[in-house]
Amino acid sequence: MAIRIAVLGVGLIFLLLAGMVAYAAMTLPDLNKLGQATGTIKILDRNGKMIASVGSDSTSRTYVPLTAVAQVQQDATLAAEDRNFYSEGAFDFPRVMKAMVTDVILRRPAQGASTITQQLAKLAFFGPNADKSPLRKLREAMIASEIDSKYSKAQILEKYLNLIYYGEGASGIENAALTYFGKHAKDLDLREASLLAGLPQAPSVYDPKQNPSSAYARQHYVLGGLVAVGKITQQQADDVDPLVGGGAASGDLLAKQQANQKALADDLLHGKPLATLGSAPHFVQYVRNQLQQRFADDPSVTAGDLTVTTTLDLSVQAKASDAVAKGVAEIKSNANNGALLMLDSHTGDIMAMVGSADYTNNDIAGQYNVVTAERRPGSSFKPYVYEEGIITGKVKPSTVLDDTPAESAKLNNVKDFDKLYEGRITAATALLDSRNIPAEEAMALVGVDNVIAFAQSLGITTQLTPNVSTAIGTSSVRMIDHAAAYAAFSNYGHKVTPRAILKVVDGNGNTLLDEPATPGAGPQVMTQAQAYSITKILKAYPARWGVRFNRPIAAKSGTTDNFVDAYYMAYSPDYVVATWAGHTDATGAEVGMDKVYGNTVGSDITARFINALPGPIHDFPVVSGAASDCSASPSASSEASVTEGCPTPTPSPSPTPSPTPAPSESPSAAPPTFTLKPAPTLPVPRSTPTPTPTPKPSPTP
């Protein structure tokens, strides 16, 4: 009886399998439609309005025969994706078995096992976000087998190269060659081909414009593959490899790395973007990067059929773009670029993102997103120092600090641009007047490591140099991190994480991601009273420096040495607005501007934007128990007053807080050489620093 039952059970299993195979065979798509791409990503704002439609369908795709694709590009693609392509069938069984063993050992998908034929079958008929059901996998296998039997290897490779997505809105190798290098696929050389071949695995992750270090690593792998299969020599690879010698290269190899990276960057300047990314192009690219990270198991996600609802508000974005464009034009003084980010300080929602003054302008490296790049924040870093002092009790707003020659001498002669001093002043006055010597003194009193740890607890992710000069903004931060950190002051103490995506739905109507409209509050990194202690001071900052808002705003500017970076950070109880201005050129280098201070940006960009925003307008609620010394009560026109012994906020005749000088590493015993400033009044420029060329920091996702 048991044997009969077992036989019956096995028979039923075979019948079920046979039925599934038969059903799969009967429901296969039409193979004649192979190569007709269907993937589209519709990116919507928070109100359902279309921001951009990107991906295969929305891009003008140019189909080219394999003979119109450089041989080195064909070889590089196979080296990156399928080195046994010409000798295998539809499946590479040894590769499948190896991947399965690796997956079992590591308990996660560790490496791909799909041949180019399988990838073609999946992308052409099911899309990159296809479900992983056995029936779909069976159909894919059947189609791959049909493709392998019907088409030659050359035809399969041709269709694959014309279908695959390369990032930056480029589908197909011809569009990719034009988008990245401004040339046709038939004219690509080894350097260009090895870069492009690495992109399809994860286009946003390996985007050379946004994430060059990741792109270099992937290109290094592709070049190694070309050497391994005998298509090029090691010397040929070394001549173009941006990571020749690996991560520990030194001496001649390091110089060669830098030369190769520069040559690649120069090549990328000739690119011609094909796809329109709507009115928020940097945000669209940012969303695509986020999709890659969210759906890391499917690296081609940005080519799929998706509808993505984002946090952006197009009406706010329009005001932001207008403010940056008009503000940069108003600033002049050698400023040619600007950026703006607005965050909801309670949810972290990105309401507006302008990564440059003109996305399409290669003369200013317009596609480079300043919002996600590293820049020195100058004096806009100082609130973190004083807040940590309040938290630890080591520096209060009423603590008297030394803006004196003697203290400057102790701090390696750090100084302000005017080479003058305000004498013995309170910490509140030092922050309001943005003085450098007291900020470094406070950093030393509070503890360098403590301040760095606090900044990181707020969301700063970059490496901060452990010295006192970090207090005045000599260590780089990312604007998006900086804005998130300021959000904790705005919302009275909660950490927030920036977010761009609210909902993702695939082409079949399946919801892949659905975020709550109001996420739970993040960790409480400050008490309400501690956060308000800084806000009380910064509420008076705009009026102190002549920046006029039509609502209560707390703010802090930052200007770096030689006027390379000018920041203005502003916040209300509802949102944070971070703005920046600088001068960039087509090579990606940055040079100093002509007396463009952070407060210049505040007047010409930040105030222009915030004053154009609709209501409701909220003032900062007063919190009892806040450390007292300064109490600002701004009116709707921001004519703030400061009481409790703090200086009267007489507007500066010129918005000129001190540029951040070069880092001071250790105290120096050098004698004081400057004259004591007789009264704690606002500094007035006595000289104009001469702008000097400054290298642009490396871009990061």
Side-chain angles (χ1 to χ4, degrees), residues 461-656:
T461 60
T462 49
Q463 179 150 4
L464 302 175
T465 306
N467 59 40
V468 292
S469 70
T470 290
I472 58 175
T474 59
S475 293
S476 295
V477 300
R478 299 165 71 226
M479 179 188 281
I480 194 167
D481 295 343
H482 205 23
Y486 266 68
F489 294 121
S490 167
N491 67 35
Y492 288 72
H494 287 285
K495 177 183 179 181
V496 302
T497 300
R499 67 174 185 172
I501 299 173
L502 296 175
K503 190 173 184 178
V504 180
V505 178
D506 69 14
N508 297 317
N510 300 311
T511 300
L512 306 180
L513 178 70
D514 193 1
E515 295 282 356
T518 304
Q524 186 88 29
V525 290
M526 299 174 272
T527 67
Q528 291 185 0
Q530 289 165 351
Y532 185 64
S533 296
I534 290 295
T535 296
K536 278 203 304 180
I537 300 169
L538 297 185
K539 282 170 66 178
Y541 195 84
R544 181 70 168 165
W545 295 99
V547 180
R548 298 181 180 276
F549 292 101
N550 60 7
R551 65 199 69 194
I553 292 290
K556 184 69 189 76
S557 65
T559 311
T560 61
D561 212 19
N562 298 318
F563 301 101
V564 171
D565 294 293
Y567 258 102
Y568 199 83
M569 306 294 295
Y571 64 94
S572 78
D574 304 306
Y575 51 76
V576 176
V577 177
T579 48
W580 168 91
H583 181 100
T584 56
D585 62 26
T587 67
E590 228 187 323
V591 298
M593 298 173 287
D594 182 14
K595 288 199 302 183
V596 177
Y597 293 87
N599 281 315
T600 311
V601 176
S603 292
D604 291 332
I605 298 179
T606 322
R608 184 188 301 271
F609 170 67
I610 289 178
N611 292 346
L613 294 174
I617 294 174
H618 298 134
D619 199 351
F620 294 91
V622 175
V623 178
S624 61
S628 65
D629 184 67
C630 286
S631 177
S633 303
S635 66
S637 61
S638 287
E639 292 294 342
S641 62
V642 182
T643 60
E644 302 180 29
C646 285
T648 302
T650 306
S652 171
S654 176
T656 54

Side-chain angles (χ1 to χ4, degrees), residues 86-121:
Y86 280 106
S87 62
E88 69 197 5
F91 308 94
D92 185 337
F93 286 104
R95 192 171 163 198
V96 171
M97 294 305 297
K98 180 180 178 182
M100 288 178 62
V101 171
T102 305
D103 290 352
V104 169
I105 292 173
L106 297 181
R107 296 184 178 277
R108 63 178 175 82
Q111 63 183 73
S114 297
T115 64
I116 278 182
T117 307
Q118 288 174 270
Q119 292 182 50
L120 178 60

Side-chain angles (χ1 to χ4, degrees), residues 310-366:
T310 69
T311 60
L312 197 83
D313 187 317
L314 275 176
S315 64
V316 176
Q317 176 70 21
K319 291 178 173 62
S321 298
D322 180 73
V324 171
K326 291 181 179 177
V328 170
E330 182 76 18
I331 291 171
K332 300 177 183 177
S333 301
N334 204 35
N336 68 354
N337 204 352
L340 184 152
L341 175 70
M342 180 181 183
L343 294 182
D344 182 309
S345 56
H346 300 280
T347 64
D349 287 358
I350 297 172
M351 307 295 290
M353 177 187 286
V354 181
S356 74
D358 185 352
Y359 182 84
T360 63
N361 187 350
N362 284 337
D363 290 340
I364 64 169

Side-chain angles (χ1 to χ4, degrees), residues 174-513:
E174 178 71 0
N175 280 1
L178 290 168
T179 297
Y180 286 97
F181 300 112
K183 59 171 58 177
H184 296 292
K186 65 182 177 61
D187 299 322
L188 293 167
D189 60 25
L190 176 59
R191 175 181 286 113
E192 298 155 349
S194 56
L195 177 77
L196 292 181
L199 298 181
Q201 187 186 75
S204 295
V205 173
Y206 297 128
D207 188 327
K209 298 175 182 178
Q210 300 295 328
N211 305 311
S213 59
S214 297
Y216 298 156
R218 180 65 174 160
Q219 186 175 14
H220 177 76
Y221 167 80
V222 174
L223 288 165
L226 283 165
V227 173
V229 298
K231 293 298 182 181
I232 62 173
T233 66
Q234 186 63 55
Q235 184 60 52
Q236 287 174 310
D238 291 348
D239 287 343
V240 300
D241 190 352
L243 289 183
V244 57
S250 60
D252 291 342
L253 282 179
L254 182 59
K256 196 169 186 179
Q257 267 194 10
Q258 294 170 345
N260 287 346
Q261 289 176 15
K262 183 180 186 306
L264 182 60
D266 289 344
D267 278 354
L268 288 166
L269 292 176
H270 301 295
K272 300 175 182 178
L274 295 173
T276 175
L277 298 180
S279 57
H282 292 97
F283 180 75
V284 169
Q285 293 288 28
Y286 182 80
V287 167
R288 297 179 79 163
N289 291 341
Q290 292 294 301
L291 288 171
Q292 285 288 348
Q293 295 173 24
R294 291 287 190 127
F295 301 97
D297 289 343
D298 194 343
S300 301
V301 69
T302 51
D305 257 345
L306 296 174
T307 299
V308 183
T309 302
T310 69
T311 60
L312 197 83
D313 187 317
L314 275 176
S315 64
V316 176
Q317 176 70 21
K319 291 178 173 62
S321 298
D322 180 73
V324 171
K326 291 181 179 177
V328 170
E330 182 76 18
I331 291 171
K332 300 177 183 177
S333 301
N334 204 35
N336 68 354
N337 204 352
L340 184 152
L341 175 70
M342 180 181 183
L343 294 182
D344 182 309
S345 56
H346 300 280
T347 64
D349 287 358
I350 297 172
M351 307 295 290
M353 177 187 286
V354 181
S356 74
D358 185 352
Y359 182 84
T360 63
N361 187 350
N362 284 337
D363 290 340
I364 64 169
Q367 293 183 49
Y368 184 84
N369 190 353
V370 174
V371 170
T372 57
E374 293 186 18
R375 289 285 187 278
R376 290 188 299 152
S379 293
S380 65
F381 189 90
K382 290 174 182 175
Y384 307 144
V385 179
Y386 291 107
E387 181 60 62
E388 177 63 8
I390 291 169
I391 292 171
T392 60
K394 295 180 179 179
V395 174
K396 300 176 182 178
S398 57
T399 299
V400 176
L401 299 171
D402 294 296
D403 188 14
T404 63
E407 190 64 31
S408 172
K410 294 178 184 178
L411 297 166
N412 203 33
N413 287 321
V414 61
K415 56 185 177 293
D416 284 285
F417 77 101
D418 56 7
K419 299 182 181 180
L420 298 175
Y421 303 87
E422 292 190 3
R424 300 267 290 167
I425 57 176
T426 65
T429 299
L431 179 56
L432 195 61
D433 283 1
S434 197
R435 303 302 291 177
N436 289 337
I437 298 168
E440 290 201 7
E441 181 187 4
M443 183 81 155
L445 290 171
V446 175
V448 171
D449 291 341
N450 291 336
V451 172
I452 289 175
F454 175 64
Q456 291 171 338
S457 76
L458 295 176
I460 300 297
T461 60
T462 49
Q463 179 150 4
L464 302 175
T465 306
N467 59 40
V468 292
S469 70
T470 290
I472 58 175
T474 59
S475 293
S476 295
V477 300
R478 299 165 71 226
M479 179 188 281
I480 194 167
D481 295 343
H482 205 23
Y486 266 68
F489 294 121
S490 167
N491 67 35
Y492 288 72
H494 287 285
K495 177 183 179 181
V496 302
T497 300
R499 67 174 185 172
I501 299 173
L502 296 175
K503 190 173 184 178
V504 180
V505 178
D506 69 14
N508 297 317
N510 300 311
T511 300
L512 306 180
L513 178 70

Side-chain angles (χ1 to χ4, degrees), residues 147-167:
I147 290 173
D148 189 60
S149 63
K150 181 173 181 177
Y151 298 103
S152 68
K153 290 293 186 181
Q155 289 174 312
I156 292 172
L157 182 59
E158 176 183 303
K159 293 179 183 296
Y160 176 82
L161 287 168
N162 280 284
L163 175 64
I164 201 69
Y165 180 66
Y166 288 89

